[in-house]
Amino acid sequence: MINFNKFCNSETLYDIKDINHVESDLYVKNGVMYKKMNLSYGQLDNKLNTVNFLIDNKNIINIEELVLPSGIAYLDRNSGIIVIKEKFIDNINFRYVLTSNLYSFSEKIEYFKQIGLILDKMKNVRDNTNIKDFYLCDLYTDNFILNTDTNRINVIDMDSCKINGNNNCSSYYLFDNNVIDSVKKYKKKELSWFTEYEINENTDILCYIIMLISFISGCDINKVDIKEFYNYMDYLVNFGLSNQLVSILARIYSNDDNVNPYLLLDELNKYDSKKYVLKK
């Protein structure tokens, strides 16, 4: 293992000014990203379980868009410090992409389709391997990057995914939501350090759809009340979006299982992006 204290003193922190909610120090050297975290005892064991399982099963998972950990560079149980390493990718954070004028609306929709495809590939892993408990969990804009070499979306912070019976991390769109407490398919559970929802396919698709609707509507759709949400769904249908697509989007607040809409998203390119903006 590296002498990480010496390494940190000699290297410059990775520029994270365009990333929200960063919970680790990031360093880059020779094409490798090092993530330094300081965790409590229970959180540390949980992180080790997650990282080691991802490393051991990378060939079974085999989804190139997922930036999986490649090893543990440093571990100190007494201080709770763990340093995870993974491949560094030249990138632009997805949150910046969505707010930038450098990318067209149709390009941004294409990137959302790529995220939906990633979720579909993860479902294929669950359906066709022994890994049945595999979800992104903390699915929101900052945990996706645009790979500037491939122009494809990659998923980062995979050490926070739900896998192998681990305790899931806090999920941004589940933690800050005004509606889901009243929806039966989303079930809360008590963890040792916080209360969170059980992570499954419904929660991953919920977060994906919230991220999508928040982008097209121009507002944090997870923070609006249920009446305003359904009024917006009616508005989308009234100006021309298909009942098929809108019913899938609206389904997140019903008790029916969620459906991944990524194959239908080209329909969003039929109209001027300004038409989708939620007017208050």
Side-chain angles (χ1 to χ4, degrees):
M1 289 189 179
I2 62 174
N3 182 330
F4 204 76
N5 287 330
K6 182 178 178 181
F7 174 76
C8 289
N9 289 332
S10 65
E11 296 296 317
T12 303
L13 275 171
Y14 179 56
D15 185 0
I16 55 174
K17 64 179 182 300
D18 287 328
I19 307 177
N20 283 337
H21 314 292
V22 173
E23 298 174 349
S24 56
D25 292 334
L26 306 178
Y27 304 82
V28 176
K29 186 173 185 178
N30 298 329
V32 178
M33 173 79 82
Y34 295 88
K35 299 172 59 178
K36 177 187 176 186
M37 291 169 279
N38 196 330
L39 304 171
S40 68
Y41 180 77
Q43 290 173 319
L44 180 60
D45 281 345
N46 191 61
K47 185 69 69 174
L48 285 169
N49 168 33
T50 304
V51 170
N52 286 327
F53 192 85
L54 289 171
I55 293 170
D56 292 344
N57 291 276
K58 63 180 180 180
N59 292 331
I60 297 174
I61 294 170
N62 194 29
I63 300 175
E64 62 181 351
E65 294 92 341
L66 304 181
V67 183
L68 300 179
S70 59
I72 296 173
Y74 180 85
L75 176 64
D76 184 342
R77 285 187 170 275
N78 291 327
S79 65
I81 293 176
I82 181 173
V83 181
I84 300 166
K85 62 179 182 178
E86 59 190 41
K87 179 182 178 182
F88 175 71
I89 294 173
D90 287 323
N91 73 87
I92 302 170
N93 189 265
F94 190 48
R95 179 173 62 87
Y96 175 79
V97 170
L98 292 181
T99 58
S100 172
N101 293 326
L102 298 176
Y103 304 90
S104 68
F105 181 79
S106 62
E107 285 177 309
K108 294 170 185 179
I109 294 302
E110 172 60 30
Y111 298 142
F112 272 106
K113 288 170 56 184
Q114 291 179 21
I115 294 171
L117 176 60
I118 293 168
L119 295 181
D120 200 45
K121 288 181 178 182
M122 293 179 67
K123 184 178 188 303
N124 187 60
V125 171
R126 296 192 300 271
D127 290 345
N128 296 290
T129 75
N130 291 325
I131 302 175
K132 305 300 181 185
D133 181 26
F134 183 34
Y135 306 97
L136 290 183
C137 179
D138 194 15
L139 194 162
Y140 77 114
T141 53
D142 287 13
N143 281 343
F144 297 94
I145 57 173
L146 177 62
N147 185 323
T148 55
D149 292 327
T150 64
N151 197 37
R152 303 287 296 178
I153 293 293
N154 289 120
V155 186
I156 57 174
D157 284 351
M158 286 301 299
D159 54 278
S160 296
C161 76
K162 182 76 176 78
I163 199 167
N164 194 36
N166 65 349
N167 287 325
N168 53 278
C169 70
S170 179
S171 179
Y172 179 72
Y173 285 128
L174 298 180
F175 183 76
D176 196 6
N177 189 298
N178 293 335
V179 177
I180 59 175
D181 274 353
S182 61
V183 183
K184 293 180 180 178
K185 65 186 173 189
Y186 307 120
K187 296 179 173 60
K188 279 190 174 181
K189 65 176 182 178
E190 296 290 334
L191 299 178
S192 58
W193 54 88
F194 65 96
T195 301
E196 184 57 284
Y197 289 88
E198 293 180 8
I199 300 300
N200 51 39
E201 187 171 10
N202 278 327
T203 55
D204 265 14
I205 295 176
L206 165 74
C207 294
Y208 172 52
I209 290 177
I210 286 177
M211 186 168 63
L212 172 68
I213 300 176
S214 294
F215 163 63
I216 65 171
S217 69
C219 77
D220 293 327
I221 206 69
N222 52 304
K223 297 180 180 180
V224 305
D225 63 34
I226 191 67
K227 181 179 179 181
E228 188 174 7
F229 175 80
Y230 282 125
N231 284 342
Y232 182 64
M233 294 296 103
D234 289 340
Y235 168 75
L236 295 179
V237 171
N238 289 337
F239 81 65
L241 284 189
S242 69
N243 281 306
Q244 182 185 15
L245 176 56
V246 176
S247 65
I248 289 175
L249 301 181
R251 196 181 180 106
I252 60 172
Y253 290 149
S254 77
N255 286 317
D256 298 317
D257 285 335
N258 294 333
V259 175
N260 187 340
Y262 79 102
L263 291 174
L264 301 174
L265 297 189
D266 282 334
E267 183 181 334
L268 295 171
N269 291 320
K270 291 167 56 178
Y271 302 98
D272 188 313
S273 61
K274 294 178 182 177
K275 208 169 181 66
Y276 296 108
V277 175
L278 179 63
K279 300 175 178 62
K280 293 188 176 183

